[in-house]
Amino acid sequence: MNRILTILFASIATVAFADDKPAKPLGYQDTPIIPGTKWHVHDGERPQPKVVTPGEPSTQAKVGTAPSDAVVLFDGKDVSKWRKGKDQDATWKVENGYMEVRGGDIMTRDEFGPDVQLHLEFATPPASGNGQGRGNSGCFLFGRYEIQILDSYQNPTYPDGQATAIYGQTPPLVNASLKPGEWQTYDIIFEGPRFNEDGTVAKPAIATVLHNGVLTQNHTVLLGDTPHRTVGKYNKHGEKGSIKLQDHGNPMRFRNLWIRELKPVDSQ
Ligand code: MG
């Protein structure tokens, strides 16, 4: 009986995995062209996606790792990838694998864009103050488009200023905040704006954000930059820009920051 079952399962497995077997040719050339591409349906000549080794997810106790093709912006040891102002060294404190806000905003020395995937982790300090005064920071793409970082755990404030809000524009879909002191994750997919020669917007910036794995911004179109108490607007800038982290006067902690520039499909 066991033998019959073994043969039966082996046969099912052969059928189930038939599509995964390497075959020559890999695909088809006698099928229709996929509209908008130069490739046939199931075209085996189409470029293979680049192989990337995923990172390990973080836990509260353990810092995760970046995917193999990411640029690590903070590895828990030093803030050398960051500057303060135009060319000063960043002054944020580094200890126990995290950096803590100290002495002003910091910007990445390198610039990234136009489209990126950004991962960051933060922990807010013990609750004191209210609203925007509690556990406030911010992640600015291109140094000007703020994804709000705030202690939004049982801390009401104006919705377009909560954690993962596009500041002053779009509240998060839900509030997925954890308690002060707990490590939280942002995964941001940001499409930088494109500008025409004359400075008008050819394509606005678009942000998708997951907060602790929960979708909070779903392909949200930005109206412009993200100033306080006024409507943002676009000012033409380059295709790459720095990531800025805000010192809003609270001792916020950050760890495991990495970024991937996104390339169009088939461009590997
Ligand atoms: Mg802020």
Side-chain angles (χ1 to χ4, degrees), residues 66 70-76 78-82 99 106 108-112 117-120 139 242-243 245 255-260:
V71 174
V72 174
L73 299 176
F74 176 65
D75 63 0
D78 66 68
V79 288
S80 58
K81 297 271 182 79
W82 300 80
M99 59 179 176
I106 58 173
T108 55
R109 291 184 186 279
D110 292 330
E111 298 192 333
F112 305 95
Q117 175 186 1
L118 174 65
H119 176 89
L120 68 83
C139 177
S242 292
I243 309 298
L245 293 176
R255 70 177 192 184
N256 197 25
L257 286 93
W258 51 259
I259 192 166
R260 301 176 61 244

Side-chain angles (χ1 to χ4, degrees), residues 136-138 146 148 246:
N136 193 335
S137 181
E146 183 180 14
Q148 172 69 309
Q246 185 183 44

Side-chain angles (χ1 to χ4, degrees), residues 13-229:
T14 305
V15 172
F17 293 106
D19 279 350
D20 293 341
K21 272 189 181 172
K24 285 184 182 175
L26 282 176
Y28 301 82
Q29 302 277 312
D30 59 352
T31 45
I33 293 286
I34 300 170
T37 80
K38 60 178 179 178
W39 308 106
H40 294 268
V41 174
H42 313 313
D43 199 326
E45 299 298 311
R46 194 167 180 167
Q48 293 288 334
K50 192 170 78 173
V51 174
V52 172
T53 307
E56 265 183 50
S58 294
T59 65
Q60 288 299 329
K62 186 165 159 278
V63 188
T65 56
S68 58
D69 65 342
V71 174
V72 174
L73 299 176
F74 176 65
D75 63 0
K77 298 187 182 99
D78 66 68
V79 288
S80 58
K81 297 271 182 79
W82 300 80
R83 62 182 163 83
K84 177 183 169 182
K86 273 199 165 161
D87 49 15
Q88 289 175 270
D89 291 337
T91 52
W92 288 20
K93 183 171 77 173
V94 177
E95 62 180 13
N96 301 326
Y98 58 77
M99 59 179 176
E100 186 175 294
V101 169
R102 179 166 298 182
D105 299 347
I106 58 173
M107 319 241 332
T108 55
R109 291 184 186 279
D110 292 330
E111 298 192 333
F112 305 95
D115 304 332
V116 298
Q117 175 186 1
L118 174 65
H119 176 89
L120 68 83
E121 301 179 15
F122 67 96
T124 65
S128 70
N130 287 302
Q132 297 293 305
R134 181 185 297 182
N136 193 335
S137 181
C139 177
F140 292 71
L141 286 294
F142 292 86
R144 69 187 74 199
Y145 306 110
E146 183 180 14
I147 312 288
Q148 172 69 309
I149 300 174
L150 190 79
D151 176 0
S152 284
Y153 183 80
Q154 298 178 351
N155 180 33
T157 186
Y158 44 85
D160 67 19
Q162 290 191 20
T164 74
I166 311 299
Y167 189 73
Q169 298 185 19
T170 310
L173 292 168
V174 293
N175 180 350
S177 297
L178 295 175
K179 291 177 185 171
E182 294 187 16
W183 285 104
Q184 307 193 49
T185 61
Y186 278 13
D187 287 285
I188 299 167
I189 295 100
F190 196 87
E191 298 178 24
R194 308 311 203 258
F195 295 94
N196 298 311
E197 286 282 303
D198 65 0
T200 55
V201 178
K203 177 181 175 287
I206 294 172
T208 297
V209 183
L210 292 106
H211 184 187
N212 298 319
V214 178
L215 185 70
T216 54
Q217 296 288 346
N218 185 12
H219 213 252
T220 304
V221 176
L222 275 71
L223 304 171
D225 62 1
T226 53
H228 185 48
R229 289 172 60 91

